[in-house]
Amino acid sequence: MAGRKMKLTTDKKDRADQRKRTEALQKHDEALADLDPSPPKGLMGYAKQAYTKIVNDLNSAGLIKNIDQNVVIELAKQIQVSRSAYIDVFGGDEPMGTLIPVTKSLQGPDGKVIDTVVTGWRQNPSVRTLDSATAKIKSYSEALGMTPASRASLLNLISSDDDEESGDWRSQSRAPQFANSGGDVK
């Protein structure tokens, strides 16, 4: 769904419907359990470590709840994909680099391959994978409040809330807004 993101606020200068929506979300979030730092069984390798680190950091900051688990799982998977693609391109025993040679085999009169020549170059598919995973990591990180810009907006909110003592960081969250306790997304 494209369009303007819903505003969450507890500022008395803002519209009543925005404040009411924010209060409903805050009440909804209070009832939610914190996210368990034990990685799900489906995660493997570095994704397990990434999941645990992300959950521990975000739980201690009070930024996530159990309902956010799918986003954290996908972030951990993309971190694993990114790491594997990076190793394929730049690391490991035989790094492939960003370009891969296109070769042609030369055969002798008896049909045996006598030589191989490079006829051109093509992009390493792992470069595209790395690029895609990086974009997804950025998107998931923003959704979870893990980028400098999203943290700055949280800090602005916290400082304005400290002055007014009304609401908390969630009042400026860009998470889906819940109209009632039934969980209907608006």
Side-chain angles (χ1 to χ4, degrees):
M1 182 172 149
R4 182 182 286 203
K5 294 180 182 177
M6 289 185 219
K7 182 176 182 179
L8 295 175
T9 183
T10 57
D11 189 347
K12 296 191 186 303
K13 298 174 195 168
D14 290 320
R15 295 188 342 223
D17 65 314
Q18 294 171 338
R19 292 191 313 268
K20 186 176 179 180
R21 182 175 42 231
T22 301
E23 290 169 8
L25 178 64
Q26 289 172 335
K27 287 178 186 175
H28 178 271
D29 279 359
E30 287 174 2
L32 297 175
D34 286 343
L35 186 54
D36 181 13
S38 301
K41 293 181 181 180
L43 291 180
M44 298 178 207
Y46 190 73
K48 281 179 144 178
Q49 296 170 12
Y51 178 90
T52 302
K53 171 83 170 115
I54 291 165
V55 171
N56 286 334
D57 288 350
L58 294 179
N59 270 342
S60 67
L63 295 176
I64 58 171
K65 296 290 184 178
N66 197 40
I67 198 167
D68 302 315
Q69 183 179 30
N70 289 336
V71 178
V72 178
I73 289 171
E74 290 306 314
L75 175 58
K77 287 178 183 178
Q78 291 304 315
I79 289 171
Q80 175 68 52
V81 168
S82 171
R83 183 180 175 126
S84 298
Y86 183 86
I87 290 171
D88 187 46
V89 175
F90 299 110
D93 295 334
E94 294 184 33
M96 296 177 71
T98 58
L99 296 176
I100 298 174
V102 176
T103 59
K104 181 177 180 180
S105 299
L106 300 177
Q107 296 178 339
D110 57 355
K112 292 183 179 179
V113 175
I114 57 172
D115 198 10
T116 305
V117 292
V118 176
T119 59
W121 296 87
R122 65 180 175 93
Q123 184 182 32
N124 182 344
S126 293
V127 172
R128 192 171 304 121
T129 302
L130 181 60
D131 184 49
S132 174
T134 302
K136 289 176 184 175
I137 289 169
K138 181 180 182 285
S139 175
Y140 292 137
S141 296
E142 287 172 348
L144 292 169
M146 296 172 57
T147 63
S150 59
R151 285 194 310 272
S153 68
L154 291 177
L155 289 175
N156 286 339
L157 174 65
I158 290 169
S159 65
S160 67
D161 283 349
D162 288 345
D163 294 341
E164 298 174 18
E165 292 196 30
S166 60
D168 61 6
W169 64 270
R170 292 179 194 96
S171 65
Q172 295 294 323
S173 171
R174 300 211 188 259
Q177 306 307 302
F178 295 93
N180 58 40
S181 61
D184 295 334
V185 178
K186 279 194 168 182

